């Protein structure tokens, strides 16, 4: 492949394409304009019999694939949570692909396992977490959360690992506690772990979308009094809709008293704890059994890289470890990460995080996060000064929820207006925003998090949103 220099020449073309893309991302509509079935119609239904040229494949990438891309790595992507693949991490991904490491066992790439330990130790220190926490990389927060809940189930000592749950009369009903603001992956984990959706208890929230700790205490006590077994309470630091944070310290006191596993979901907001002024976000989580943070959300590494910190990695290993004969290795005192989750094979994800942390340094990362938070505050200020537009939830971090209202008309009319504004704004193509429902009402949501987002981008976003609202109001 490399003998005739073809690889080098083609990779240089790919590098040039990526460089142009990153310099000039703003020329693309953020939300893809593709219609359902466009790409399927454009591609042959059957695979080619003979290999095709790189030129032909790359041309189709540019002409057919890219138009079907919604540009998450666009500085004007303000929907959901805005993310970034920083240039240096793109190179790290290419190197990881070249090495094609499967880090299932320590010996199947000692450096992959040990770099994971080192970078997650760095990240733990950056976040101010105590050394008692051991970090492990998974693909997404959904899988990190599932893994934590599986460990919580194992910690109950009910022999579910060996005997299962079906047909057993000696098992109590297991319960998981969340709020209606908790990310849906917890409920999915409850489905997968045999807890069942009916046993996912929604604890009431306060006016600022935070769990009411007294209500959690009541729910736990009621379950305990009726012979049901609390398996895990989930507190969120930075909820997906509004970035509200549950009162973790109060929740911790309640779960500790009743010996219930506390899982803290800080997938988006966790990275903010690298800022001294936001350290307190995670401080009360130090007593939790498990914490999730997603570097792929707000630490400038590409999807996917989620980190689960657990107090008791040995319990995680006991939950999942099954060592087939052909995987037995002589090393002791090493981590074989296949033992700590469902997956056997594992990508070398730590490499991109290591490249990112070294390239920016802690201060560089802090500057980016601070800038995002400041931009969100400035945006919220514009919203506050706009007649007939209101802030819909507190905005402690880099996400602002807001809503246009129509004086003299009802909430349903306002819901329709906000949905129309969003569609209009997104059809324009220069920015992309999303919406959510808060207390049943439609609100718009602007999330800042891409490392290349500038103040001008946010100014433009407000201008486009405001113009659309004036046209449609
Ligand atoms: C985004 C998000 C998730 C899900 O993250 P994935 O990595 O996509 O699974 C979970 N919890 C919170 C609070 C989130 O913001």
């Amino acid at each position: 492949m490399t003998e005739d220099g073809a690889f080098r020449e083609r990779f240089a073309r790919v590098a040039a394409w990526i460089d142009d893309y990153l310099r000039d991302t703003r020329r693309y509509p953020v939300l893809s304009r593709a219609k359902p079935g466009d790409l399927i119609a454009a591609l042959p239904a059957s695979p080619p019999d003979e290999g095709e040229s790189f030129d032909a494949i790359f041309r189709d990438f540019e002409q057919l694939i890219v138009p079907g891309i919604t540009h998450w790595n666009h500085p004007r992507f303000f929907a959901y949570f805005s993310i970034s693949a920083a240039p240096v991490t793109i190179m790290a991904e290419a190197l990881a692909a070249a090495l094609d490491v499967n880090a299932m066992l320590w010996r199947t790439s000692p450096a992959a396992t040990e770099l994971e330990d080192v970078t997650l130790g760095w990240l733990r220190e950056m976040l101010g977490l105590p050394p008692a926490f051991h970090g492990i990389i998974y693909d997404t927060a959904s899988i990190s959360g599932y893994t934590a809940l599986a460990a919580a189930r194992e910690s109950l000592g009910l022999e579910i690992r060996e005997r299962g749950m079906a047909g057993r009369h000696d098992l109590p009903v297991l319960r998981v506690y969340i709020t209606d603001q908790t990310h849906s992956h917890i409920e999915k984990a409850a489905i997968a772990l045999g807890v069942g959706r009916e046993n996912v208890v929604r604890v009431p929230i306060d006016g600022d979308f935070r769990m009411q700790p007294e209500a959690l205490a009541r729910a736990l006590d009621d379950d305990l009094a009726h012979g049901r077994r609390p398996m895990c309470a989930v507190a969120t630091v930075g909820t997906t809709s509004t970035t509200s944070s549950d009162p973790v310290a109060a929740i911790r006191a309640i779960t500790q008293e009743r010996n219930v596993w506390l899982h803290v979901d800080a997938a988006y907001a966790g990275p903010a704890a690298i800022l001294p002024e936001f350290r307190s976000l995670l401080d009360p989580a130090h007593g939790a059994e498990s914490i999730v943070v997603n570097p792929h959300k707000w630490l400038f590494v590409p999807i996917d890289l989620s980190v689960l910190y657990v107090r008791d990695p040995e319990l995680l290993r006991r939950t999942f470890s099954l060592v087939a004969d052909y995987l037995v290795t002589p090393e002791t005192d090493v981590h074989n990460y296949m033992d700590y989750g469902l997956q056997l094979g594992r990508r070398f994800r730590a490499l991109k995080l290591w490249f990112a942390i070294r390239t920016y340094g802690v201060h560089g990362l802090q500057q980016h996060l601070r800038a995002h938070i400041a931009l969100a505050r400035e945006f919220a200020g514009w919203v506050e000064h706009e007649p007939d537009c209101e802030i819909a939830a507190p905005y402690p971090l880099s996400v602002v929820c807001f809503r246009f209202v129509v004086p003299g008309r009802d909430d349903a009319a306002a819901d329709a207006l906000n949905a129309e504004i969003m569609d209009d704004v997104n059809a324009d193509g220069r920015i992309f925003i999303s919406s959510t429902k808060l207390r049943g009402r439609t609100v718009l949501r602007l999330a800042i998090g891409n490392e290349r987002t500038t103040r001008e981008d946010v100014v433009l976003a407000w201008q486009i949103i405001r113009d659309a609202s004036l046209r449609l109001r």
Side-chain angles (χ1 to χ4, degrees), residues 140-158:
T140 56
S142 304
I143 297 303
S144 298
Y146 162 83
T147 308
L149 263 65
R153 195 182 69 173
E154 180 65 17
S155 76
L156 299 175
L158 298 171

Side-chain angles (χ1 to χ4, degrees), residues 163-199:
R163 297 172 55 208
M165 296 171 86
R168 283 179 64 181
H169 301 295
D170 60 329
L171 279 187
V173 167
L174 304 183
R175 306 279 270 181
V176 171
Y177 306 82
I178 65 171
T179 74
D180 66 359
Q181 303 293 302
T182 305
H183 190 272
S184 57
H185 77 280
I186 297 295
E187 202 165 339
K188 282 195 191 175
I191 294 170
L193 290 164
V195 170
R197 294 186 67 194
E198 279 182 11
N199 295 308

Side-chain angles (χ1 to χ4, degrees), residues 274-318:
I274 71 170
L275 297 169
E277 62 272 32
F278 284 97
R279 206 19 91 77
S280 58
L281 270 179
L282 282 187
D283 278 351
H286 293 180
E289 273 65 39
S290 50
I291 305 175
V292 168
V293 172
N294 269 11
H296 77 217
K297 260 193 180 139
W298 206 10
L299 277 180
F300 315 110
V301 299
I303 291 240
D304 46 11
L305 200 172
S306 173
V307 179
L308 174 66
Y309 282 104
V310 289
R311 252 177 202 290
D312 187 355
E314 184 44 36
L315 172 65
L316 207 49
R317 211 185 59 77
R318 270 207 321 276

Side-chain angles (χ1 to χ4, degrees), residues 61-385:
F61 166 77
E62 289 189 287
Q63 294 180 1
L64 303 178
I65 305 298
V66 174
I69 294 299
T70 290
H71 293 275
W72 283 78
N73 204 14
H74 194 302
R76 295 191 197 133
F77 184 108
F78 298 115
Y80 315 114
F81 282 110
S82 166
I83 58 177
S84 318
V88 71
T89 63
I90 298 169
M91 295 189 275
E93 285 285 61
L95 293 171
L99 299 172
D100 203 14
V101 157
N102 182 340
M104 57 190 193
L105 297 164
W106 176 86
R107 65 158 42 190
T108 61
S109 260
T113 296
E114 294 188 15
L115 191 67
E116 184 161 334
D117 290 344
V118 171
T119 49
L120 297 193
W122 289 1
L123 181 63
R124 182 182 58 214
E125 185 181 317
M126 289 159 62
L127 297 170
L129 296 178
F133 280 104
H134 183 86
I136 303 172
I137 296 177
Y138 300 94
D139 53 1
T140 56
S142 304
I143 297 303
S144 298
Y146 162 83
T147 308
L149 263 65
R153 195 182 69 173
E154 180 65 17
S155 76
L156 299 175
L158 298 171
E159 300 181 335
I160 293 172
R161 181 190 147 110
E162 298 310 320
R163 297 172 55 208
M165 296 171 86
R168 283 179 64 181
H169 301 295
D170 60 329
L171 279 187
V173 167
L174 304 183
R175 306 279 270 181
V176 171
Y177 306 82
I178 65 171
T179 74
D180 66 359
Q181 303 293 302
T182 305
H183 190 272
S184 57
H185 77 280
I186 297 295
E187 202 165 339
K188 282 195 191 175
I191 294 170
L193 290 164
V195 170
R197 294 186 67 194
E198 279 182 11
N199 295 308
V200 178
V201 180
R202 280 184 170 63
V203 178
I205 53 174
D206 67 14
D208 286 337
F209 309 100
R210 299 173 303 198
M211 183 185 281
Q212 293 183 21
E214 323 76 59
L216 172 67
R218 278 197 300 275
L220 286 166
D221 291 341
D222 185 57
D223 279 346
L224 288 165
H226 289 89
R228 297 181 285 254
R229 187 81 184 264
M231 183 178 109
C232 179
V234 179
T236 307
V237 171
T239 56
T240 315
S241 264
T242 72
T243 75
S244 61
S245 289
D246 293 326
V248 181
I251 292 170
R252 180 68 208 135
I254 288 163
T255 56
Q256 207 151 30
E257 206 177 302
R258 294 158 182 83
N259 198 19
V260 173
W261 187 290
L262 175 62
H263 176 67
V264 173
D265 180 3
Y268 151 73
I274 71 170
L275 297 169
E277 62 272 32
F278 284 97
R279 206 19 91 77
S280 58
L281 270 179
L282 282 187
D283 278 351
H286 293 180
E289 273 65 39
S290 50
I291 305 175
V292 168
V293 172
N294 269 11
H296 77 217
K297 260 193 180 139
W298 206 10
L299 277 180
F300 315 110
V301 299
I303 291 240
D304 46 11
L305 200 172
S306 173
V307 179
L308 174 66
Y309 282 104
V310 289
R311 252 177 202 290
D312 187 355
E314 184 44 36
L315 172 65
L316 207 49
R317 211 185 59 77
R318 270 207 321 276
T319 305
F320 285 104
S321 179
L322 271 186
V323 183
D325 293 338
Y326 46 84
L327 292 172
V328 172
T329 62
E331 291 87 13
T332 50
D333 287 343
V334 297
H335 292 124
N336 294 317
Y337 279 128
M338 68 166 196
D339 289 339
Y340 294 77
L342 278 184
Q343 276 186 272
L344 173 70
R346 313 178 80 239
R347 266 156 46 68
F348 187 5
R349 294 192 181 88
L351 194 65
K352 58 189 172 185
L353 185 58
W354 185 61
F355 269 62
I357 296 174
R358 291 191 61 188
T359 300
Y360 293 94
V362 178
H363 291 161
L365 293 168
Q366 288 171 334
Q367 271 167 19
H368 275 301
L369 299 193
R370 261 194 203 111
H372 292 159
I373 294 165
L375 284 172
R377 289 199 177 154
E378 199 174 357
F379 181 89
W382 302 330
V383 168
E384 276 164 355
H385 281 97

Side-chain angles (χ1 to χ4, degrees), residues 406-441:
V406 202
R409 293 181 60 196
D410 64 4
D411 282 340
D415 286 349
L417 171 68
N418 284 279
E420 270 177 59
I421 292 171
M422 181 176 76
D423 290 345
D424 190 83
V425 160
N426 290 340
D428 173 273
R430 285 175 293 168
I431 66 168
F432 179 30
I433 60 170
S434 57
S435 66
T436 188
K437 289 251 182 204
L438 294 179
R439 299 186 196 96
R441 307 270 60 112

